[in-house]
Amino acid sequence: MKNDLIAAIATAPGQAGIAVVRISGDNALDVLQKIFSHSGDYETHKLYYGTIKNEGNIIDYAMVAFMKAPHTYTGDDTIEVFCHGGYAVSRSVLSTVLEKGCRMAKAGEFTKRAFLNGRLDLSQAEAVSELIAANAQRAADVALNALSGRIKKQIDNMREKLLDFLAKIEVCIDYPEDDVEQQTAKMLLPEIQIMINDLETLLQTAHRGRIYKEGLTVAIAGRPNVGKSSLLNAIMGESRAIVTTTPGTTRDTLEAHVDINGLEVMLIDTAGIRKSDETIEKMGIERAENVIARADIVLLVIDNNTGITQEDIKVFQKLADKPYIVVINKMDIGSPIQQKSLDVQLGAGETIYVSALNHTNIVALENMIFDFVGENKLSNTQAVLSNVRHIEAVKNANMSLDEALTTLNNAMPIDLAVTDIKNAWHSLGEVTGDTVDEDIVERIFSKFCVGK
């Protein structure tokens, strides 16, 4: 089934200017010649204009492109029909294609063929899906980093070095009389340590990569009536939360997504945290505490007009070791709370004075939130990890090499390190798909959209 003809609509359903029907597989050109009005030869990677017909009836006026293997996305002969984007038209074109010898493509089957034909490794194939799913520019940047092949290049280089390590150990096993085992172990120790360092450097990119990919969760916390909902509205630039002067107005969490410098941020406005005997309010406070526990960062909002209260201190104590920014709201009212007082009562965390009502310093607060991630730009050369599967595979490889290093450092027989080095080689191969199980491959591509 690897090269049989498959077809699907590659664009999203609904009304649009253009829809794309994609065909791929052996003899794809035969299908095109049955439905398209062009009667001459087809040159690869050129567009042709004409009519799509079925049994002599015109379905649409369209542009088509024929792309000859192997220089195609899938690695097989591929045809793309650019028809009008109405639901009825695109479905009619697809139905006609299916009648002429194609079958409906499965989810992710085009990209799976690209992987099986060596056009993409598995990390690049997964990046295709992640690029499609990206809701903000930073998530797209991480996906493009993987799609460019940076992860593949670094992993392939490491796996080649591991094979070289194994070859050197094999010499010791085959020719023990030459007494080269000690010299080989001494030579391998620094080389394995360098690779461990490289893997740890790669793993250090995972925190930023995951946040770029999945976004940042920011909890807005504080006692009642300090302006949490007003702050949410100010960052959003619209009225999402109900704002009143009555304490305890917010009884449940309110989530809102905002783009900050290309990073997707989920802001969660929480109920004011205070002692309460009212059942519904107590449930809201419990939810607020749960949100704080799972947030990446907390905005602890303080009312500048009333100053720091015991309730503020109690809320601060619930943050534990959670990263936080102290947001002094209502800076337009009263004298500013002194920094010394903040340091003594709320720790030496980052602080900013804002007015949610007047939108003063809101952009500066957004920049502080974004700076939590770290460096603003991805390196043009460094691979960045963001996929959980990749991160776990690299961690496993790192642990295996640590075991091999321990074996060599303890002057144990050198052949005992072979298993650990092979395990590291296998773990890294899971990232690119060279050693991954078939069921994992199936699971990965089943999550793709049909048509990609």
Side-chain angles (χ1 to χ4, degrees):
M1 297 173 66
K2 179 182 175 184
N3 299 108
D4 60 346
L5 282 166
I6 58 173
I9 298 173
T11 43
Q15 292 184 340
I18 294 174
V20 179
V21 178
R22 178 175 290 155
I23 307 166
S24 187
D26 290 343
N27 304 314
L29 190 56
D30 291 345
V31 173
L32 181 61
Q33 290 171 335
K34 293 175 183 177
I35 66 170
F36 193 58
S37 59
H38 181 74
S39 58
D41 294 332
Y42 286 88
E43 293 185 51
T44 185
H45 292 80
K46 284 193 175 182
L47 279 171
Y48 295 89
Y49 174 75
T51 56
I52 302 291
K53 294 183 178 181
N54 188 9
E55 305 300 332
N57 297 316
I58 295 177
I59 297 174
D60 194 19
Y61 297 89
M63 303 284 288
V64 301
F66 167 64
M67 291 162 280
K68 187 170 181 58
H71 303 296
T72 66
Y73 178 73
T74 62
D76 298 329
D77 286 352
T78 301
I79 291 165
E80 291 187 349
V81 179
F82 303 89
C83 60
H84 288 93
Y87 179 83
V89 173
S90 59
R91 295 299 300 181
S92 294
V93 173
L94 177 60
S95 295
T96 301
V97 167
L98 296 177
E99 288 177 16
K100 303 305 178 184
C102 296
R103 66 169 173 83
M104 189 69 186
K106 299 176 183 177
E109 191 167 6
F110 291 101
T111 305
K112 182 179 179 182
R113 287 193 176 190
F115 166 65
L116 294 175
N117 288 331
R119 299 288 292 170
L120 302 170
D121 82 307
L122 196 54
S123 68
Q124 290 173 301
E126 289 169 293
V128 171
S129 179
E130 291 165 4
L131 184 60
I132 294 171
N135 291 322
Q137 186 57 53
R138 302 292 170 170
D141 290 343
V142 169
L144 286 169
N145 180 281
L147 187 57
S148 70
R150 289 179 193 145
I151 294 176
K152 171 180 168 55
K153 182 178 179 180
Q154 188 164 348
I155 294 298
D156 284 350
N157 287 340
M158 289 180 173
R159 296 184 80 224
E160 282 294 321
K161 289 180 182 178
L162 291 174
L163 289 178
D164 184 54
F165 296 166
L166 291 171
K168 290 174 180 177
I169 294 175
E170 194 67 32
V171 171
C172 300
I173 296 173
D174 290 343
Y175 303 100
E177 66 276 4
D178 292 341
D179 197 26
V180 295
E181 182 171 322
Q182 188 174 0
Q183 294 181 6
T184 301
K186 186 176 180 180
M187 178 179 59
L188 286 178
L189 278 170
E191 294 188 38
I192 292 176
Q193 184 62 61
I194 289 172
M195 186 170 293
I196 289 174
N197 294 342
D198 289 342
L199 288 172
E200 289 176 349
T201 299
L202 184 58
L203 286 169
Q204 288 170 5
T205 69
H207 171 72
R208 183 161 54 110
R210 289 294 305 281
I211 289 178
Y212 275 4
K213 175 185 173 183
E214 299 175 3
L216 194 67
T217 301
V218 178
I220 304 176
R223 62 182 174 84
N225 216 33
V226 294
K228 298 185 297 299
S229 297
S230 296
L231 183 62
L232 171 72
N233 290 338
I235 296 175
M236 289 296 298
E238 59 181 274
S239 296
R240 288 292 305 276
I242 297 174
V243 178
T244 76
T245 57
T246 304
T249 300
T250 302
R251 299 298 185 95
D252 200 354
T253 58
L254 175 63
E255 298 181 359
H257 291 262
V258 63
D259 187 315
I260 297 180
N261 299 337
L263 175 69
E264 183 179 14
V265 175
M266 182 171 70
L267 297 169
I268 308 180
D269 180 21
T270 64
I273 298 176
R274 64 176 177 177
K275 186 176 181 180
S276 175
D277 295 325
E278 205 272 315
T279 303
I280 296 178
E281 186 176 6
K282 285 173 67 177
M283 292 174 64
I285 292 170
E286 184 178 346
R287 289 192 180 187
E289 293 173 349
N290 290 335
V291 167
I292 290 172
R294 63 183 175 86
D296 296 305
I297 187 170
V298 178
L299 304 184
L300 176 59
V301 185
I302 306 293
D303 187 337
N304 182 68
N305 188 39
T306 60
I308 302 172
T309 68
Q310 286 300 312
E311 284 186 330
D312 292 321
I313 295 173
K314 288 179 180 178
V315 175
F316 170 72
Q317 290 170 346
K318 293 181 182 296
L319 303 186
D321 297 326
K322 183 70 62 175
Y324 66 94
I325 299 172
V326 177
V327 181
I328 309 299
N329 190 28
K330 307 179 186 179
M331 64 177 290
D332 50 313
I333 304 175
S335 301
I337 299 173
Q338 296 301 308
Q339 185 65 49
K340 182 178 180 180
S341 177
L342 289 167
D343 292 344
V344 171
Q345 299 185 72
L346 301 178
E350 291 191 84
T351 304
I352 185 170
Y353 292 77
V354 308
S355 171
L357 179 64
N358 299 327
H359 287 220
T360 306
N361 278 350
I362 296 301
V363 173
L365 173 59
E366 292 175 352
N367 290 333
M368 290 177 70
I369 293 171
F370 181 78
D371 288 343
F372 168 78
V373 182
E375 297 178 30
N376 290 350
K377 293 185 178 180
L378 297 179
S379 167
N380 290 327
T381 56
Q382 184 184 30
V384 176
L385 296 179
S386 63
N387 185 297
V388 175
R389 193 181 66 81
H390 302 168
I391 294 168
E392 288 305 310
V394 173
K395 284 182 179 178
N396 290 337
N398 201 32
M399 287 189 291
S400 294
L401 288 182
D402 271 332
E403 292 292 332
L405 197 65
T406 299
T407 297
L408 297 179
N409 271 322
N410 292 337
M412 298 172 69
I414 196 169
D415 57 311
L416 295 179
V418 169
T419 299
D420 293 320
I421 294 175
K422 283 183 177 180
N423 287 341
W425 180 85
H426 188 279
S427 293
L428 291 179
E430 291 178 356
V431 176
T432 57
D434 291 324
T435 58
V436 75
D437 294 336
E438 186 176 346
D439 61 331
I440 294 178
V441 173
E442 292 294 332
R443 195 179 313 133
I444 288 171
F445 288 108
S446 68
K447 297 178 182 178
F448 279 53
C449 57
V450 174
K452 193 56 182 174

